[in-house]
Amino acid sequence: MHDVFISYASEDEAQAIAIKGILETYGINCWFAPSSIRATQDFTKRIPKAIKSSKAFLILMSSSAQKSKWVKRELGTADKYNIPFYTFFLEKCELEEDFDFILQFNQHYKADLAYDERISRLLAELREDFANPSMAVHPSQVPSRPKRTFPVAF
């Protein structure tokens, strides 16, 4: 069983890899495509199984994520199996209606907070939910935000 399934748009992969690294540094076992899927596995079967067996679902929210059919499918699967959601905003963006419908009552880490503060709050929430005090982290210990490698239009 994985602690956290990370859902993200492929355009946000660099940031997703950095966040996965931070979580794993603090002892949170992450399921992360494509590295968690072997070449011989059927991803259409493996992804739902991984979501269902995770303790939490972390969606890395961006305008790209809201356009991704895979992020929507993964979110729907997590909702179906009542997996707790954590929404971490990679950028300032409003939730589109379909995402807002599912995520409106869940914990959000909005982009108007500093990156290190959002990571610290996310780790604190996960620590509390998983009852693992070794995940405590001070914002000064969080690596700086990774740079985007592509232009973003707002």
Side-chain angles (χ1 to χ4, degrees):
M1 174 186 272
H2 295 89
D3 293 323
V4 176
F5 181 99
I6 301 176
S7 180
Y8 66 96
S10 59
E11 294 86 352
D12 301 323
E13 185 171 20
Q15 291 183 79
I17 289 169
I19 290 169
K20 174 184 179 280
I22 293 167
L23 295 178
E24 289 183 339
T25 296
Y26 288 95
I28 300 172
N29 184 14
C30 299
W31 197 97
F32 184 86
S35 62
S36 296
I37 303 174
R38 291 190 310 268
T40 59
Q41 292 179 312
D42 181 350
F43 67 92
T44 63
K45 292 180 181 175
R46 184 68 181 109
I47 289 174
K49 285 181 184 177
I51 293 169
K52 187 177 180 180
S53 67
S54 295
K55 295 178 189 175
F57 181 86
L58 174 61
I59 184 169
L60 303 182
M61 186 55 62
S62 66
S63 54
S64 297
Q66 294 189 78
K67 294 173 187 166
S68 169
K69 67 179 179 179
W70 287 105
V71 171
K72 287 179 184 179
R73 288 176 180 163
E74 292 164 356
L75 179 60
T77 301
D79 186 44
K80 175 182 176 180
Y81 292 114
N82 296 311
I83 307 300
F85 305 128
Y86 297 83
T87 307
F88 188 92
F89 283 79
L90 299 176
E91 63 189 27
K92 290 183 181 181
C93 62
E94 291 296 319
L95 288 176
E96 294 179 9
E97 191 173 291
D98 49 351
F99 282 92
D100 186 53
F101 180 76
I102 295 175
L103 297 172
Q104 63 185 319
F105 300 112
N106 297 95
Q107 181 64 37
H108 291 192
Y109 305 92
K110 293 278 196 171
D112 54 350
L113 292 175
Y115 179 80
D116 57 345
E117 180 65 21
R118 285 181 281 147
I119 288 286
S120 295
R121 288 184 181 189
L122 173 63
L123 286 167
E125 290 280 333
L126 291 171
R127 183 193 71 219
E128 183 178 317
D129 291 350
F130 298 163
N132 184 350
S134 68
M135 287 191 245
V137 61
H138 187 274
S140 64
Q141 297 172 308
V142 177
S144 62
R145 178 185 179 140
K147 300 269 188 225
R148 284 186 166 242
T149 57
F150 59 93
V152 177
F154 291 97

